[in-house]
Amino acid sequence: MIIIMEPGATPEEQQQVMARLEREGFKVHLSRGVERVIIGAIGDKTRLKAETLAAMPGVEKVVPVLHPYKLAGRDFHPEDTIVPVRDLLVGGRRVQVIAGPCAVESREQLLETAMAVREAGATMLRGGAFKPRSSPYTFQGLALKGLEYLAEAREVTGLPVVTEITDPSLIKEVAEVADVLQIGSRNMQNFALLQAVGRVQKPVLLKRGLSATIEEWLLAAEYILAEGNNKVILCERGIRTFETYTRNTLDLSAVPAVKHLSHLPILVDPSHGTGRRCMVAPMARAALAAGADGLLIEVHPNPQEALSDGPQSLTPKEFARLMEEIRPIITAVGREMGRLPV
Amino acid sequence: MIIIMEPGATPEEQQQVMARLEREGFKVHLSRGVERVIIGAIGDKTRLKAETLAAMPGVEKVVPVLHPYKLAGRDFHPEDTIVPVRDLLVGGRRVQVIAGPCAVESREQLLETAMAVREAGATMLRGGAFKPRSSPYTFQGLALKGLEYLAEAREVTGLPVVTEITDPSLIKEVAEVADVLQIGSRNMQNFALLQAVGRVQKPVLLKRGLSATIEEWLLAAEYILAEGNNKVILCERGIRTFETYTRNTLDLSAVPAVKHLSHLPILVDPSHGTGRRCMVAPMARAALAAGADGLLIEVHPNPQEALSDGPQSLTPKEFARLMEEIRPIITAVGREMGRLPV
Amino acid sequence: MIIIMEPGATPEEQQQVMARLEREGFKVHLSRGVERVIIGAIGDKTRLKAETLAAMPGVEKVVPVLHPYKLAGRDFHPEDTIVPVRDLLVGGRRVQVIAGPCAVESREQLLETAMAVREAGATMLRGGAFKPRSSPYTFQGLALKGLEYLAEAREVTGLPVVTEITDPSLIKEVAEVADVLQIGSRNMQNFALLQAVGRVQKPVLLKRGLSATIEEWLLAAEYILAEGNNKVILCERGIRTFETYTRNTLDLSAVPAVKHLSHLPILVDPSHGTGRRCMVAPMARAALAAGADGLLIEVHPNPQEALSDGPQSLTPKEFARLMEEIRPIITAVGREMGRLPV
Amino acid sequence: MIIIMEPGATPEEQQQVMARLEREGFKVHLSRGVERVIIGAIGDKTRLKAETLAAMPGVEKVVPVLHPYKLAGRDFHPEDTIVPVRDLLVGGRRVQVIAGPCAVESREQLLETAMAVREAGATMLRGGAFKPRSSPYTFQGLALKGLEYLAEAREVTGLPVVTEITDPSLIKEVAEVADVLQIGSRNMQNFALLQAVGRVQKPVLLKRGLSATIEEWLLAAEYILAEGNNKVILCERGIRTFETYTRNTLDLSAVPAVKHLSHLPILVDPSHGTGRRCMVAPMARAALAAGADGLLIEVHPNPQEALSDGPQSLTPKEFARLMEEIRPIITAVGREMGRLPV
């Protein structure tokens, strides 16, 4: 940790900072520059201390040297993590495509979509039974009934199921059905929920919050990892910026950034990330070219009847075309399309 | 609702949109411009439908005419809402100042702070027993023990207590002690939590999410109101922007904006909003000059020992000075400082 | 144009708005909804009028129906524009890679880089002679001397030259040497400069401003087009967001968005867009997969001695590797690598 | 300057960084932590070097210790700068209110407005003769004719004139009339223009760029100061965020931040900062409560006929009311309203 003192800091103030650091077991070193005094502190401490020091009189700025996440970072875990989901692997050589409707709306809608995306080459099924919606007046999901349909769809197609959990008290019911527990972007810092999914041994798909920095996102993963569940899959889904043409700004540079900082696999959701059907395919290609380990794609048999996210959902036919478009990209980056076991 | 068709939309596509609208009970009107066809639709519908229509072929854009919130908006509730908190009123002529430590750290720390802020003129006590923190390795609060200390501090000082709830399953324990239930900015769209606080008859302090638009914020309030709890107090606490000098950008223009759009009272938290002690007083003055109904201020007897948010906490002495500085502003805008009953 | 009146607007206010519109030659149509009155106006008017109407009493919101740009938009110019630069074409089937140093620092540095990027397959040379820098104390470019070196480098390598212009008064000197005039992101709304380059018949590379919406960017292009110069090439280079790990957030969704809204070609600059050498190659691949017509890449023979933008510059060897990595992507999207005439 | 090395940096890489620093005249100090090596460097260098070092192999991050601006910062110039404008002082005890139309539209409009704002207590007149507009099809100002009217309005009312300059080649014409040269937000990093106004001895009003950090803003001021003109007045006018209800987000926390970092006076423009007439007065009061040295207010005799910025312009009557509303706030913060000499 490095402490930069204010130009007018008194010798007493310097002394207090150094005494405090030494009291906490740090080795300290004072360096007197032309205009500023700098105090270096060596020791194994977390971020909070930076904050505490920043509150001391005479301190201008505290610069943490280490990343605040240990388990999610590459420093102590240099090799890539590969997360097994039933017979599939997320994060290895093979690219996995998770597809399905935003919300489970009915048995028929889900089964029809599941069979279509299976046919086109998707390797997992997504579908929300519990939907967090900005307005209390919009469709909130079929809840337990939705989970039932998801289980049936898996039965029929063999596709592992990815579904969102929104309330820690539902962990038992959702984990019973889901192969992957999804944490939505609005809940990325719902720490009670992160801890709940950290305590079950199920893979977790952790979406990036709308305005979360990469550091905060990895700290959210750290909450899950710290509870003992090391099967965390990250998913970039667009951040909030000033641009209004797209629903969000899909931040593809998060893919190489996360690959650099962390060992966890990362997927991209170009459906939520753009909010516009015509942009899903180009951004899906781009995500894979940037190095993403897979995609999350919204597909609906009849987008204009969808109870949520219609404008960004592909028809099964459009999805099949997208699968064809991404094949050469996957080859170009030296990877292979995921495959369900026969 | 207004539907703008793409320049190349076919007559069949127009027909489909109109048929769909009529099927749903809308009165429709088609208007043919030089370059675009526009369809107006009259009827009482919520936002989802806009989304559904936007998914139809040939549709360029759908413009909702009405605000998506009904209970939180002024349209049907023109007069200001005043929320009673024990013997105090939030939202009326009197300005309430809520002060206290970010986190309850010990019985002594809390009692000392409570007595000091009471002495300086605060009318409510804040203090977190459950702390949502970005990192799993930082202090997470004293939990139930913290609630106990808060109850004791109220006993001693007479100050009503404002404290955060982070998990719906804790509603009974927290509501038993709290006079105001606080929803933190990270949980502004934790809908399970919003519904939980909507079902108890306690005032709720709803902080704005870090990247929430004013519309989303009012929709979050709508979740609480829709459950039957109409005692909602809003609190602006800074939004996330590109500026890094301040911790967040305190959006004071939210004050007149909310006053225009909604009947709910609005407070401002200049401590979290700036993250810097030296900016708390000027922004507190500015918030009241902009028309805020009160303030939320972090005070700690010894900020450099604080377990969280030290750099933005005032000492009791600094807080007493701030109270003196805001008095003439409160008078200048024609209001009065809140007062505890004797 | 659609005018939504406030709930409390009086009949006189409606009348005034309608009278004003009719006076300006619009055909108007009033539509009375349950809670709002809406006035539709048909006529050929630009944005300003929307603003003017929004200032009238009783008006809640004005929604423009048409895009404010005519020449840059696809509505009246559906086919793609292809911009010729000497013997090359920007915007057609072939992908062009523009490479070179951020700043021209010396004759040797430029010639060495030019030959290296030519060898690796670049088809144009970039290099700044006039550098806009945030601080007045950093290297500002070699000015006229830099232009001279650029001309020599073109002579030697055959590569057309792209260089930035920062002051309208230099148009003659810069246009004499440059094959493509670059407008930097800080000058995207320097309208005097846009008009100056609009009056010469040279291709213009228009970078997106750091916080420019796509609409503002296309309006900046409109300034150039409106002066009679239709050779405009757009270039996405990252926008400013809250994320601090990368220098900017490269908004690749701007590529399909611009392709949808405009007929102009669009390149991507992953060097400025990320600010980190290790992210340049993945984002270059992603940009082409998203449909970009080419790339702008910073290359320096010795990045750690670079007078500007060292951290994001590739060495010639790294650049040669990037060229190999993008080849299969270019093939995958059905395009071909650009080639200089022999 | 502090250099943090990557965890895997080799001894050779450390050596190279240290050698480079020593070669440039720095005193260096190496500090070996548990997981990182840190190199401290003492010497008087500017930012560029940080960038150069960041490009060296093995370097993770470079932390500059000093602010990159010298002339604009408080470190070497602790006392407040007061800028004289004719017989007025900007930045001292008295608060100055600059008012007038966004654009000079006609002699009558300007004179009428000037007399009205003079009457209500404004101490300077604003009005644009050269208007930078997002679209080439909107009113661009009366140019030289506008300057003429401004001179006449000053003659009649005695109000000093503030007007924008957009092109360095017009410096002579504009400086002849203007008492204060305004640099608009779009031109905040138009360095040719900054240098041009730095070379004349006229006060400059420097608006903050739409997405400029406070550091970049002070560096823009540094460009002017470095040319020898020390009469710089800063003006906050709103930044670009995700919020769409307001035109921009007026960042009032910039007022105490600038007061802390710089000695230059700072004004606030709540008209552009909000874009909505009903928010101008509350944000004007808030700006002064936060410590601003004055205001910039748009006034138009007939806002619904304004050729630009109608929705945010006050009528003379509304302006007179605003002047009454700010008086008690000015008193509350211990200052006085500015006054023209009689």
Side-chain angles (χ1 to χ4, degrees):
Chain A
M1 199 152 41
I2 296 157
I3 297 96
I4 302 174
M5 302 297 291
E6 286 175 357
T10 64
E12 288 68 39
E13 287 169 344
Q14 289 167 32
Q15 214 35 62
Q16 279 165 18
V17 170
M18 293 177 73
R20 176 77 190 264
L21 283 163
E22 282 163 348
R23 218 168 70 215
E24 309 263 1
F26 282 88
K27 279 194 288 183
V28 301
H29 171 267
L30 186 140
S31 163
R32 214 174 293 280
V34 185
E35 299 167 27
R36 291 284 193 289
V37 163
I38 288 155
I39 299 169
I42 296 173
D44 179 28
K45 294 288 154 177
T46 62
R47 204 105 195 249
L48 169 65
K49 295 301 174 196
E51 212 181 89
T52 308
L53 288 163
M56 296 188 74
V59 173
E60 180 170 289
K61 191 156 83 164
V62 179
V63 183
V65 171
L66 304 177
H67 297 304
Y69 40 82
K70 295 286 164 217
L71 304 171
R74 269 209 195 272
D75 284 9
F76 300 105
H77 191 309
E79 70 288 0
D80 283 352
T81 283
I82 295 181
V83 176
V85 178
R86 298 209 158 211
D87 301 309
L88 301 168
L89 299 175
V90 178
R93 185 176 155 73
R94 288 184 187 275
V95 164
Q96 309 297 345
V97 178
I98 306 172
C102 179
V104 179
E105 295 169 9
S106 70
R107 187 173 168 273
E108 293 63 40
Q109 172 244 23
L110 184 67
L111 287 176
E112 182 183 343
T113 313
M115 286 185 288
V117 301
R118 165 77 159 110
E119 175 75 21
T123 50
M124 291 191 230
L125 176 66
R126 60 150 294 158
F130 299 91
K131 298 299 308 168
R133 304 297 301 276
S134 296
S135 163
Y137 307 124
T138 51
F139 178 62
Q140 310 264 327
L142 295 183
L144 299 181
K145 206 71 197 164
L147 293 178
E148 213 175 275
Y149 297 153
L150 284 165
E152 184 182 350
R154 175 177 49 208
E155 193 79 13
V156 172
T157 59
L159 295 168
V161 157
V162 182
T163 199
E164 182 163 356
I165 175 162
T166 57
D167 186 337
S169 72
L170 294 165
I171 185 79
K172 212 171 133 261
E173 287 86 343
V174 180
E176 219 171 86
V177 167
D179 296 298
V180 179
L181 295 163
Q182 179 178 319
I183 302 286
S185 55
R186 287 183 186 85
N187 281 316
M188 193 202 83
Q189 291 194 318
N190 181 339
F191 301 116
L193 188 61
L194 296 176
Q195 287 171 326
V197 300
R199 288 188 207 112
V200 295
Q201 284 305 316
K202 282 271 172 172
V204 177
L205 182 84
L206 178 64
K207 290 199 155 188
R208 181 180 185 183
L210 256 186
S211 68
T213 61
I214 290 173
E215 184 173 301
E216 288 169 335
W217 190 16
L218 293 177
L219 277 168
E222 192 85 0
Y223 262 92
I224 302 169
L225 299 164
E227 294 291 328
N229 183 352
N230 63 355
K231 302 193 209 51
V232 177
I233 304 162
L234 300 168
C235 181
E236 160 66 28
R237 48 80 73 213
I239 57 174
R240 185 156 273 180
T241 70
F242 59 82
E243 178 61 69
T244 54
Y245 181 73
T246 44
R247 181 169 169 184
N248 299 293
T249 295
L250 189 66
D251 178 14
L252 289 186
S253 64
V255 174
V258 161
K259 288 280 174 203
H260 184 74
L261 296 168
S262 174
H263 51 87
L264 298 171
I266 177 169
L267 309 183
V268 170
D269 174 349
S271 304
H272 281 92
T274 63
R276 287 177 174 262
R277 197 176 303 146
C278 67
M279 296 172 72
V280 174
M283 296 312 279
R285 294 192 313 254
L288 295 173
D293 296 307
L295 299 170
L296 205 63
I297 307 280
E298 286 191 359
V299 179
H300 194 284
N302 195 358
Q304 67 215 62
E305 303 287 337
L307 295 180
S308 84
D309 284 349
Q312 71 203 29
S313 296
L314 302 186
T315 60
K317 207 170 143 189
E318 288 165 335
F319 176 68
R321 202 180 314 131
L322 174 142
M323 290 299 284
E324 288 320 303
E325 283 185 44
I326 61 174
R327 265 173 217 287
I329 301 286
I330 291 172
T331 309
V333 293
R335 301 179 81 165
E336 282 176 53
M337 184 73 93
R339 268 191 315 220
L340 280 181
V342 212
Chain B
M1 200 156 36
I2 295 157
I3 297 98
I4 302 174
M5 302 298 290
E6 287 175 356
T10 64
E12 288 70 37
E13 287 169 345
Q14 289 168 28
Q15 213 36 61
Q16 278 164 21
V17 171
M18 293 177 73
R20 179 74 191 267
L21 283 163
E22 281 164 349
R23 218 166 73 215
E24 309 264 0
F26 282 87
K27 278 194 288 182
V28 301
H29 171 266
L30 188 140
S31 160
R32 213 174 291 281
V34 185
E35 299 167 27
R36 291 284 193 289
V37 162
I38 289 156
I39 298 168
I42 295 172
D44 178 26
K45 293 289 154 178
T46 63
R47 205 109 192 243
L48 170 66
K49 297 301 173 196
E51 213 181 88
T52 307
L53 288 164
M56 295 188 73
V59 173
E60 181 170 287
K61 193 157 82 164
V62 179
V63 182
V65 171
L66 303 178
H67 297 305
Y69 40 82
K70 297 283 166 221
L71 303 172
R74 268 210 196 271
D75 285 7
F76 299 106
H77 191 309
E79 71 286 2
D80 282 353
T81 282
I82 295 181
V83 177
V85 178
R86 297 209 159 214
D87 300 310
L88 299 168
L89 300 175
V90 178
R93 184 175 155 75
R94 288 185 186 274
V95 165
Q96 309 297 345
V97 178
I98 306 173
C102 179
V104 179
E105 296 170 8
S106 71
R107 186 172 169 273
E108 292 63 39
Q109 171 244 23
L110 185 66
L111 287 176
E112 182 183 343
T113 313
M115 286 183 291
V117 302
R118 165 77 159 107
E119 173 76 20
T123 49
M124 292 191 230
L125 176 67
R126 59 151 295 156
F130 298 91
K131 297 300 307 168
R133 303 299 301 274
S134 295
S135 162
Y137 307 125
T138 50
F139 178 62
Q140 311 263 324
L142 295 183
L144 299 181
K145 206 71 196 163
L147 293 179
E148 214 175 274
Y149 298 153
L150 284 164
E152 185 182 348
R154 175 179 47 208
E155 193 79 13
V156 172
T157 59
L159 294 168
V161 157
V162 181
T163 198
E164 182 163 356
I165 175 161
T166 58
D167 186 335
S169 72
L170 293 164
I171 185 80
K172 212 170 133 266
E173 288 85 344
V174 181
E176 220 170 84
V177 168
D179 296 299
V180 179
L181 294 163
Q182 179 177 319
I183 302 286
S185 55
R186 289 182 185 85
N187 281 317
M188 193 203 84
Q189 291 193 317
N190 181 339
F191 302 117
L193 189 59
L194 296 176
Q195 287 170 328
V197 300
R199 288 189 207 109
V200 295
Q201 285 305 316
K202 282 269 173 174
V204 177
L205 183 82
L206 178 64
K207 288 199 156 188
R208 181 180 183 182
L210 257 185
S211 68
T213 60
I214 291 173
E215 183 172 303
E216 289 169 336
W217 190 15
L218 292 178
L219 276 168
E222 191 85 1
Y223 262 91
I224 302 170
L225 297 166
E227 294 291 328
N229 182 351
N230 64 354
K231 302 195 210 45
V232 178
I233 304 162
L234 301 167
C235 181
E236 161 66 29
R237 47 81 71 214
I239 56 173
R240 186 155 271 181
T241 71
F242 59 84
E243 178 59 72
T244 55
Y245 181 73
T246 43
R247 182 171 169 183
N248 300 293
T249 295
L250 190 65
D251 178 14
L252 289 187
S253 65
V255 175
V258 160
K259 287 280 174 204
H260 183 72
L261 295 168
S262 173
H263 52 88
L264 298 170
I266 177 167
L267 310 183
V268 170
D269 174 349
S271 304
H272 281 93
T274 63
R276 288 176 174 264
R277 196 176 306 147
C278 67
M279 296 171 73
V280 173
M283 296 311 279
R285 293 192 312 253
L288 295 174
D293 296 306
L295 300 170
L296 205 63
I297 306 281
E298 286 191 0
V299 179
H300 193 284
N302 195 358
Q304 67 215 63
E305 303 287 337
L307 296 179
S308 84
D309 285 349
Q312 71 204 29
S313 295
L314 303 186
T315 60
K317 208 171 140 188
E318 289 165 334
F319 176 69
R321 201 180 315 130
L322 173 141
M323 290 299 284
E324 288 318 305
E325 284 186 42
I326 61 174
R327 266 173 216 285
I329 302 285
I330 290 172
T331 309
V333 293
R335 300 179 81 165
E336 282 176 52
M337 184 74 92
R339 268 189 314 218
L340 279 181
V342 210
Chain C
M1 200 152 41
I2 296 157
I3 297 96
I4 302 174
M5 302 297 290
E6 286 175 356
T10 63
E12 287 69 40
E13 287 168 344
Q14 289 168 31
Q15 213 36 60
Q16 278 164 20
V17 171
M18 292 177 73
R20 177 75 190 266
L21 283 163
E22 281 163 349
R23 216 167 74 215
E24 308 267 359
F26 282 88
K27 277 194 289 182
V28 301
H29 170 267
L30 186 140
S31 161
R32 212 174 291 280
V34 184
E35 299 168 27
R36 292 284 193 289
V37 162
I38 290 155
I39 299 168
I42 296 172
D44 180 28
K45 293 288 155 177
T46 62
R47 205 107 194 245
L48 170 65
K49 296 301 175 198
E51 214 181 87
T52 308
L53 287 164
M56 296 188 73
V59 173
E60 181 171 287
K61 191 157 84 164
V62 179
V63 182
V65 171
L66 304 178
H67 296 306
Y69 40 82
K70 297 283 166 221
L71 303 171
R74 268 209 196 273
D75 285 7
F76 300 105
H77 191 309
E79 71 287 0
D80 282 353
T81 282
I82 294 180
V83 176
V85 178
R86 297 207 158 216
D87 301 311
L88 300 168
L89 299 175
V90 178
R93 183 174 156 74
R94 289 186 186 275
V95 164
Q96 309 297 346
V97 179
I98 307 173
C102 179
V104 179
E105 295 170 8
S106 72
R107 184 172 170 275
E108 293 63 41
Q109 171 245 22
L110 185 66
L111 286 176
E112 183 183 342
T113 312
M115 286 186 289
V117 302
R118 165 78 159 108
E119 174 75 21
T123 50
M124 292 191 228
L125 176 66
R126 59 151 293 156
F130 298 92
K131 297 299 308 168
R133 303 299 300 275
S134 296
S135 163
Y137 307 123
T138 52
F139 178 63
Q140 311 264 325
L142 296 182
L144 299 180
K145 205 71 195 161
L147 293 177
E148 214 175 274
Y149 297 153
L150 283 164
E152 184 181 350
R154 175 177 47 209
E155 192 79 13
V156 172
T157 60
L159 295 168
V161 157
V162 181
T163 199
E164 182 163 355
I165 175 160
T166 57
D167 186 336
S169 72
L170 293 164
I171 185 79
K172 212 170 134 262
E173 289 84 344
V174 180
E176 218 171 270
V177 167
D179 297 299
V180 178
L181 295 163
Q182 179 178 318
I183 302 287
S185 54
R186 287 182 186 85
N187 281 317
M188 193 202 84
Q189 291 194 318
N190 181 338
F191 302 117
L193 189 60
L194 295 176
Q195 286 170 327
V197 301
R199 287 188 208 110
V200 296
Q201 284 305 315
K202 282 271 174 175
V204 177
L205 183 82
L206 177 65
K207 288 200 155 186
R208 181 180 183 182
L210 256 186
S211 67
T213 61
I214 291 174
E215 184 173 301
E216 288 168 336
W217 191 14
L218 293 177
L219 276 169
E222 191 85 0
Y223 262 91
I224 303 170
L225 298 165
E227 293 292 328
N229 183 351
N230 63 354
K231 302 194 208 51
V232 177
I233 304 163
L234 300 168
C235 181
E236 160 66 28
R237 48 80 73 215
I239 58 173
R240 185 155 272 179
T241 70
F242 59 83
E243 178 60 71
T244 53
Y245 181 75
T246 44
R247 183 170 170 183
N248 299 294
T249 296
L250 190 66
D251 177 14
L252 289 187
S253 64
V255 174
V258 161
K259 288 281 174 203
H260 183 73
L261 296 169
S262 173
H263 51 88
L264 297 171
I266 176 168
L267 310 183
V268 170
D269 174 350
S271 304
H272 281 91
T274 63
R276 288 177 174 262
R277 197 177 304 146
C278 68
M279 294 171 74
V280 174
M283 295 311 280
R285 295 192 312 255
L288 295 173
D293 295 307
L295 299 170
L296 205 64
I297 307 281
E298 287 191 0
V299 180
H300 193 284
N302 196 357
Q304 66 214 63
E305 303 286 338
L307 296 180
S308 85
D309 284 348
Q312 71 203 29
S313 296
L314 302 185
T315 61
K317 208 170 140 189
E318 289 165 333
F319 177 68
R321 202 181 314 132
L322 175 141
M323 290 299 284
E324 288 319 304
E325 283 185 42
I326 61 173
R327 267 174 216 285
I329 301 285
I330 291 172
T331 309
V333 292
R335 302 180 79 164
E336 282 175 53
M337 185 72 93
R339 268 189 315 217
L340 279 181
V342 211
Chain D
M1 200 154 36
I2 296 156
I3 297 97
I4 302 174
M5 302 297 291
E6 287 176 354
T10 65
E12 288 70 39
E13 288 169 345
Q14 288 167 30
Q15 213 36 63
Q16 279 165 20
V17 170
M18 292 177 73
R20 177 75 191 267
L21 283 162
E22 281 164 350
R23 219 169 70 217
E24 308 264 2
F26 282 88
K27 277 194 289 181
V28 301
H29 171 266
L30 187 138
S31 161
R32 213 173 292 281
V34 184
E35 299 167 26
R36 293 282 194 289
V37 163
I38 289 155
I39 299 169
I42 296 173
D44 179 27
K45 294 288 154 178
T46 63
R47 204 106 195 246
L48 169 65
K49 295 300 173 195
E51 212 181 89
T52 308
L53 288 163
M56 296 188 74
V59 173
E60 182 171 286
K61 193 157 83 166
V62 179
V63 182
V65 171
L66 304 178
H67 296 305
Y69 40 83
K70 297 281 167 225
L71 303 172
R74 268 209 196 271
D75 285 8
F76 299 106
H77 190 309
E79 69 287 2
D80 283 353
T81 283
I82 294 180
V83 176
V85 178
R86 298 209 157 212
D87 300 311
L88 300 167
L89 299 175
V90 178
R93 185 176 154 74
R94 289 186 186 273
V95 164
Q96 308 297 347
V97 178
I98 307 173
C102 178
V104 179
E105 296 170 9
S106 71
R107 186 173 170 275
E108 291 65 37
Q109 171 243 21
L110 185 66
L111 287 176
E112 182 182 344
T113 313
M115 286 185 288
V117 301
R118 166 75 159 110
E119 174 75 19
T123 50
M124 293 191 228
L125 176 67
R126 58 151 294 158
F130 298 91
K131 296 301 306 169
R133 303 299 301 274
S134 295
S135 162
Y137 307 124
T138 50
F139 178 62
Q140 311 264 325
L142 295 183
L144 299 181
K145 205 72 197 160
L147 293 178
E148 213 174 274
Y149 297 153
L150 284 164
E152 184 182 350
R154 176 178 47 211
E155 193 79 13
V156 172
T157 60
L159 295 167
V161 156
V162 181
T163 199
E164 182 164 356
I165 174 161
T166 57
D167 186 336
S169 72
L170 293 165
I171 186 78
K172 214 169 131 265
E173 287 87 342
V174 180
E176 222 171 83
V177 168
D179 297 297
V180 179
L181 295 163
Q182 179 178 318
I183 302 286
S185 55
R186 290 182 184 85
N187 281 318
M188 192 203 83
Q189 291 194 316
N190 181 339
F191 302 116
L193 188 61
L194 295 177
Q195 288 170 326
V197 301
R199 287 188 208 110
V200 295
Q201 284 306 315
K202 282 271 173 174
V204 177
L205 182 83
L206 178 64
K207 289 200 155 188
R208 182 181 184 182
L210 256 186
S211 68
T213 60
I214 290 173
E215 183 173 302
E216 288 169 337
W217 190 16
L218 293 177
L219 276 168
E222 192 85 0
Y223 262 92
I224 302 170
L225 298 165
E227 294 292 329
N229 182 352
N230 63 355
K231 301 194 211 50
V232 177
I233 303 162
L234 301 167
C235 182
E236 160 66 28
R237 48 79 74 214
I239 57 173
R240 186 155 273 181
T241 71
F242 59 83
E243 179 60 71
T244 54
Y245 181 74
T246 44
R247 183 171 169 183
N248 300 293
T249 296
L250 190 66
D251 178 14
L252 289 187
S253 64
V255 174
V258 161
K259 287 280 173 204
H260 183 73
L261 295 168
S262 174
H263 51 87
L264 298 171
I266 177 169
L267 310 183
V268 170
D269 174 350
S271 305
H272 281 92
T274 63
R276 287 175 175 264
R277 196 177 305 146
C278 67
M279 295 171 73
V280 173
M283 296 311 280
R285 294 192 311 253
L288 296 173
D293 296 306
L295 299 169
L296 205 64
I297 307 281
E298 287 191 1
V299 179
H300 194 285
N302 195 357
Q304 66 214 64
E305 303 287 336
L307 296 180
S308 84
D309 285 348
Q312 71 202 29
S313 296
L314 302 186
T315 60
K317 206 170 142 190
E318 288 165 333
F319 176 70
R321 201 180 314 133
L322 174 141
M323 290 299 283
E324 288 318 304
E325 284 186 43
I326 62 174
R327 265 174 216 284
I329 301 285
I330 291 173
T331 309
V333 293
R335 301 180 80 165
E336 282 176 52
M337 184 72 92
R339 269 191 312 217
L340 279 181
V342 212

